[in-house]
Amino acid sequence: SPWGSCRSRSSEGAVTRREYAARASERARGGSTKSMSPVLAALAGMGLFAILVMIVVGVLLAALVLSVAFRLVVGYMPSYLRALGAVVLTWIAAAVAMVVVGMVSHGSAGGLLSLVVQFLVGAAVVNYLLLAQNGSQIGYGKACVVQLVYLVIGIVLGVIIGGIMMVFFGSMLAHM
């Protein structure tokens, strides 16, 4: 029996049946937690840090793009902090609105409806937070145009950044 040697030497520090069974069940669940846990934890931490950096850079870039879109439509550049607040509030309000839309509709119509709701919510936030030069609201129509220009600039930047990433990672894969 494989347990014979364990029984006779358990007092000398050999592996007992319980310890052997515990180690075997741990290996069956996914391996030893003593050797792989720090490596996986480090990889997970690096991944979460990269996601956090991408979100922060995305918010900062989105605020800059919104400021430029506002400048193109209205004629002057708003405060960067107000544009940053508008972007953050738009993302929060759009997330809440998309949850509500997701509860109401299902399927592909829900995706299109959530896009429209996100556009309208973004225009409302732009109208309320980014004021004209004299301190009044710019109006919902102009806010919709600002939001449309913002979305077009964002799509163009996304395509450019995506193309750069495809060239970069494509060249890396080609040389492997």
Side-chain angles (χ1 to χ4, degrees), residues 5 9 12-13 16 27 39 41 55 62 72 74 96 104 106 115 120 123 125 128 132 146 152-153 155-156 163 166 169:
S5 62
R9 293 187 297 174
E12 300 171 5
T16 63
R27 280 192 302 269
V39 173
I55 289 172
L72 290 174
V74 177
V96 170
V104 173
H106 297 286
L115 181 67
L120 296 175
V125 171
Y128 288 122
V146 168
V152 168
I153 292 173
I155 289 170
V156 168
M166 282 185 357
F169 288 117

Side-chain angles (χ1 to χ4, degrees), residues 2 10 13 30 36 49 86 94 96 138 140 156 165:
S10 64
M36 289 303 290
F49 181 71
V96 170
I138 60 171
Y140 195 71
V156 168
M165 294 302 238

Side-chain angles (χ1 to χ4, degrees), residues 18-20 29 58 80 112 168:
R18 281 191 185 147
E19 291 173 352
Y20 186 81
R29 281 185 306 217
Y80 184 73
L112 181 63
F168 177 70

Side-chain angles (χ1 to χ4, degrees), residues 7-89:
R7 270 187 266 151
S8 63
R9 293 187 297 174
S10 64
S11 62
E12 300 171 5
V15 178
T16 63
R17 281 188 191 187
R18 281 191 185 147
E19 291 173 352
Y20 186 81
R23 289 181 186 171
S25 67
E26 187 176 325
R27 280 192 302 269
R29 281 185 306 217
S32 173
T33 58
K34 294 178 184 173
S35 63
M36 289 303 290
S37 181
V39 173
L40 294 177
L43 287 174
M46 288 177 7
L48 289 175
F49 181 71
I51 290 171
L52 180 68
V53 168
M54 286 176 21
I55 289 172
V56 169
V57 169
V59 167
L60 295 175
L61 185 63
L64 183 64
V65 169
L66 182 62
S67 295
V68 169
F70 194 85
R71 167 84 167 107
L72 290 174
V73 174
V74 177
Y76 86 101
M77 187 78 87
S79 166
Y80 184 73
L81 289 178
R82 287 187 77 90
L84 187 63
V87 165
V88 170
L89 187 62

Side-chain angles (χ1 to χ4, degrees), residues 30 88 101 129 139 160:
V88 170
V101 167
L129 286 183
I160 290 171

